[in-house]
Amino acid sequence: MTPSATSSVSLDELCVNTLRLLSVDMVQKAGSGHPGLPLGSAAMAYALWDRFLRVNPADPNWADRDRFVLSAGHGCALLYSLLHVTGYDLSLDELKQFRQWESQTPGHPEFGMTPGVEATTGPLGQGFASAVGMAIAETHLAARFNQPDHTVVDHFTYVLASDGDLMEGIASEAGSLAGHLGLGKLVVLYADNHITIEGNTDIAFTEDRCGRFASFGWHVQHVADGNDLEAVTAAIQAAREQTDQPSLIAVRTHIGYGSPHKQDSASAHGEPLGVDEVLLTKERLGWPAEPAFHIPPEALDHFRQTGTRGKEWQNAWEEKLEAYGKAHPDLAAEFKRIMSGTLPADWDASLPTFTAESGALATRAASGKCINAIAPRLPELMGGSADLAPSTQTFMEGAGTFQSNERAGRNMHFGIREHSMGAILNGMAYHQGLIPYGATFLVFSDYMRPPMRLAAINDLPVIYVFTHDSIGMGEDGPTHQPIEQLLCLRSVPNLFVVRPADANETVAAWRVAVERQNGPVALILTRQKLPILDLEHYPGLMSGVSQGGYVLSEADGDGVPDLILVGTGSEVHLALESQKQLAAEGVRARVVSLPCWELFATQSKEYREQVVMPGVPLLAIEAGSTLGWETYFGSQTATVGITSFGASAPGETVMREYGFTVENVCKRAQALLQ
């Protein structure tokens, strides 16, 4: 008999079991997935969604909705079940297509693919840290826009995290910063089920997790039974009332709950229960064996009240926003603008133009001037560095610092936490209303590759400022001198990597970064000073950067050049000097500046072949790994680059010893021509 609200099974239990068994059926039909977490955590997820979460399934992008992040993304069958039954535009047929080609129910949640999914999760710890970024965004925007008589930003960020999330170091990095910042509207439900893929957590994870987060400055609670809805409800309410600390609620759950032979076992984590075990689990939970994907009408009616409440909540908020607009029209217009992602018409009006008389300037210094030129006109710009602001020159003067007692500040101090900095930037972008940026040395981009990859997957408009871009930085030696990092970053699909050649190219690079709405941009900048490419002599520079590459200096005379010298960053100047020497040797060389491979690849074939002529030998000059250049331009390409690690010495010495001289470039050019 089908359980109902009128039988001995309560409506709450009926709803919880609906989530459990929908998830089990999804995994079983797909033949792969993770049934254990949905079985164990459905009760606490139900308590949150039914009693606290303020969302409107009819409008998943409502600006003041609560955010829910399933950091334990492997348990996504639970999230898809919640989204379907509460009324999001996710059909039952999509649940039946779990993990199949072009379905809206992929094997881990993907932002932008499934209505209601707030973040792409699965790489453990990333969702947790991104949620910290969301909470930062909410707190900052509330401080900026809320007025004593009107509140338009007021929502919570909730996370469901697993043992694996808390094991990953990124959770400690982000948790430490969140505690320092006192992010009171961040609530993490920790599914403490004591199981990972290899077995019981006792084999590798015996620390006092609650004690760790308490030491970070979090409000910590423990719920002994994850199926005790009232205890979970009370803990969430207590967490919501803790306004000056983020909250961790450790909820003791049982992976694979209800499965007679797999509960509390590692095998419940990442494989279907099996046909026989599914039937036994349904029997134990008082559920009909057939049909699969059964949803009792009483449960569905109850879940769909989320939509009714959501419309009421959003309507009430829109009335508040209308009243806010009448009382504070300028603020309201600004709020609507930033939440839509629209740039101010004059955001770039104060960007500088540099001349030869300005003197040589490091591109990191030019970038700092750009940041401070646009910051007053672009108030949604918010970011900072991994404790390197004086070196990366990324501090916005007069913009304040975001702290527990200064919520409107726009400068972030991420601390020496590159990995979590990357994920927090993602969370700020997921939230919307901000243009986030983060900075460190290029070599330390390795520490933040996972969140950069997720930013690229999710088309997030995040800006990275990477300085100290080559062996030219000098004395700090091979540990701090990037070699393979440019190649690694260029290998990430949808990440624009821009290495400007001087201060004016840096200005153009910032235009590219700010205006890009559908993916991240990495600015690669020098510590050493570089000559200025004067716009009077190089009038095509600004538009050329926006196209990724352009002819900077044409060969003397008419006709097809003998050779093309392609440079990026500081090596463009070496190409220009070498062009002159080659001319004296009777070689007509064109110089191409190629600040962004990815942008150049998006240009028409006609344009690209105008810049880099097919059949003309090409010598690429870049102080980094030589891999990739021949693949990018073809077999007629040779390189002046680096195939080893760097060395400790003054920058000019290191560059000379590694062959970045006019003499060596000309020698390689002549050999290529022969």
Side-chain angles (χ1 to χ4, degrees):
M1 185 177 72
T2 301
S4 70
T6 58
S7 71
S8 59
V9 178
S10 71
L11 180 59
D12 284 339
E13 186 176 352
L14 192 72
C15 290
V16 171
N17 283 337
T18 298
L19 298 173
R20 285 174 173 148
L21 278 310
L22 270 179
S23 301
V24 166
D25 284 338
M26 289 170 65
V27 173
Q28 190 62 38
K29 185 175 187 299
S32 68
H34 301 74
L37 184 137
L39 283 168
S41 299
M44 67 173 171
Y46 169 73
L48 173 64
W49 280 63
D50 184 61
R51 301 174 184 184
F52 296 100
L53 196 69
R54 294 174 69 253
V55 294
N56 181 9
D59 185 359
N61 297 316
W62 166 36
D64 202 39
R65 69 192 181 280
D66 288 339
R67 271 64 169 179
F68 173 75
V69 177
L70 181 66
S71 191
H74 55 275
C76 58
L78 174 60
L79 177 56
Y80 300 147
S81 298
L82 282 161
L83 293 172
H84 170 69
V85 296
T86 55
Y88 284 83
D89 186 16
L90 187 67
S91 69
L92 189 61
D93 285 340
E94 289 292 344
L95 269 59
K96 294 176 181 179
Q97 292 300 307
F98 181 51
R99 290 185 159 222
Q100 304 308 303
W101 179 256
E102 293 187 339
S103 78
Q104 289 182 286
T105 49
H108 289 83
E110 295 185 29
F111 176 75
M113 177 174 288
T114 312
V117 169
E118 299 283 5
T120 294
T121 58
L124 291 172
Q126 294 294 329
F128 182 106
S130 292
V132 172
M134 293 179 187
I136 288 171
E138 190 278 341
T139 304
H140 171 75
L141 293 173
R144 182 178 166 200
F145 288 102
N146 289 348
Q147 299 299 308
D149 54 340
H150 292 87
T151 300
V152 292
V153 181
D154 184 14
H155 53 266
F156 282 81
T157 301
Y158 297 100
V159 181
L160 199 163
S162 64
D163 289 295
D165 288 293
L166 267 57
M167 284 190 205
E168 288 286 359
I170 190 173
S172 289
E173 290 184 19
S176 174
L177 183 60
H180 165 75
L181 293 173
L183 300 175
K185 288 191 173 179
L186 175 63
V187 178
V188 176
L189 295 166
Y190 160 38
D192 184 13
N193 64 34
H194 296 192
I195 295 292
T196 56
I197 292 174
E198 293 185 355
N200 194 285
T201 52
D202 285 347
I203 63 175
F205 194 43
T206 54
E207 70 193 47
D208 178 1
R209 278 85 90 181
C210 291
R212 171 165 42 122
F213 277 83
S215 75
F216 290 159
W218 286 55
H219 174 244
V220 177
Q221 301 174 80
H222 184 266
V223 175
D225 180 5
N227 293 318
D228 186 341
L229 291 175
E230 299 314 313
V232 173
T233 298
I236 296 173
Q237 183 58 38
R240 287 166 54 90
E241 294 171 358
Q242 198 70 29
T243 59
D244 59 352
Q245 290 178 291
S247 289
L248 178 77
I249 306 171
V251 183
R252 180 66 173 101
T253 61
H254 294 273
I255 195 169
Y257 177 81
S259 171
H261 302 110
K262 294 194 174 184
Q263 179 174 316
D264 293 325
S265 71
S267 63
H269 170 78
E271 62 187 43
L273 296 181
V275 174
D276 293 340
E277 192 69 13
V278 168
L279 293 175
L280 291 172
T281 302
K282 289 182 177 181
E283 181 180 352
R284 175 164 289 189
L285 295 174
W287 207 253
E290 297 293 340
F293 297 93
H294 172 61
I295 305 175
E298 304 96 319
L300 187 60
D301 287 344
H302 183 71
F303 278 120
R304 290 293 163 92
Q305 292 176 20
T306 301
T308 303
R309 294 193 300 267
K311 290 177 183 177
E312 293 173 352
W313 286 327
Q314 184 170 353
N315 288 339
W317 177 80
E318 288 175 350
E319 290 176 2
K320 287 183 181 180
L321 186 62
E322 184 178 359
Y324 178 73
K326 292 177 181 177
H328 307 283
D330 292 343
L331 280 175
E334 181 72 352
F335 177 75
K336 293 175 182 177
R337 180 189 68 76
I338 67 164
M339 293 306 293
S340 71
T342 303
L343 294 172
D346 62 346
W347 73 268
D348 58 349
S350 298
L351 279 170
T353 297
F354 297 94
T355 65
E357 288 71 31
S358 303
L361 193 67
T363 53
R364 65 166 177 170
S367 171
K369 293 179 184 296
C370 291
I371 289 172
N372 278 284
I374 64 179
R377 295 177 177 270
L378 199 64
E380 59 264 50
L381 188 69
M382 183 176 181
S385 77
D387 196 53
L388 288 170
S391 293
T392 58
Q393 301 199 19
T394 45
F395 191 83
M396 291 180 282
E397 299 296 337
T401 301
F402 183 81
Q403 293 286 356
S404 60
N405 61 349
E406 190 180 353
R407 299 305 202 187
R410 295 160 56 200
N411 286 293
M412 292 289 302
H413 292 295
F414 291 103
I416 307 167
R417 304 182 180 100
E418 289 90 352
H419 194 179
S420 67
M421 176 174 71
I424 288 168
L425 296 173
N426 287 350
M428 294 163 74
Y430 282 131
H431 183 280
Q432 297 182 313
L434 297 173
I435 298 175
Y437 70 88
T440 187
F441 294 173
L442 176 57
V443 75
F444 300 134
S445 64
D446 289 345
Y447 281 142
M448 54 191 292
R449 284 284 303 284
M452 293 178 69
R453 184 174 189 270
L454 287 175
I457 287 174
N458 291 295
D459 300 333
L460 297 179
V462 177
I463 300 172
Y464 311 106
V465 180
F466 294 133
T467 66
H468 298 60
D469 71 338
S470 75
I471 58 172
M473 66 174 290
E475 291 86 347
D476 281 335
T479 62
H480 283 54
Q481 292 169 2
I483 303 295
E484 73 279 16
Q485 280 69 27
L486 274 170
L487 169 67
C488 291
L489 293 179
R490 286 172 179 155
S491 72
V492 179
N494 198 40
L495 172 64
F496 282 8
V497 182
V498 189
R499 188 172 185 237
D502 83 320
N504 283 320
E505 279 202 359
T506 303
V507 173
W510 264 102
R511 281 201 176 92
V512 169
V514 171
E515 291 177 349
R516 189 171 193 218
Q517 297 283 315
N518 60 345
V521 176
L523 304 178
I524 314 299
L525 308 172
T526 68
R527 185 181 77 166
Q528 70 270 31
K529 293 182 178 181
L530 301 177
I532 301 297
L533 298 173
D534 197 302
L535 296 182
E536 288 190 5
H537 293 96
Y538 304 105
L541 182 153
M542 288 296 183
S543 61
V545 172
S546 69
Q547 293 172 298
Y550 64 103
V551 177
L552 178 66
S553 178
E554 188 55 274
D556 290 338
D558 298 325
V560 176
D562 302 322
L563 177 74
I564 299 174
L565 301 176
V566 177
T568 77
S570 51
E571 289 73 70
V572 169
H573 301 277
L574 177 57
L576 289 170
E577 294 170 12
S578 301
Q579 180 191 41
K580 296 175 184 177
Q581 179 59 37
L582 286 168
E585 297 174 10
V587 176
R588 298 174 56 254
R590 167 187 288 184
V591 173
V592 169
S593 176
L594 191 75
C596 184
W597 288 22
E598 299 78 21
L599 263 175
F600 189 65
T602 67
Q603 306 305 310
S604 68
K605 181 181 179 182
E606 179 183 19
Y607 175 78
R608 286 183 280 117
E609 291 186 350
Q610 287 175 357
V611 175
V612 181
M613 295 179 175
V616 178
L618 185 150
L619 182 63
I621 311 168
E622 184 171 69
S625 174
T626 59
L627 291 174
W629 280 100
E630 183 174 330
T631 301
Y632 191 82
F633 280 121
S635 59
Q636 81 273 24
T637 304
T639 56
V640 175
I642 304 174
T643 57
S644 66
F645 293 114
S648 178
E652 292 182 1
T653 300
V654 180
M655 292 291 276
R656 182 183 69 246
E657 293 296 325
Y658 277 77
F660 291 93
T661 63
V662 171
E663 179 185 11
N664 186 51
V665 170
C666 292
K667 178 180 177 182
R668 294 297 303 278
Q670 293 286 7
L672 177 62
L673 290 172
Q674 293 171 9

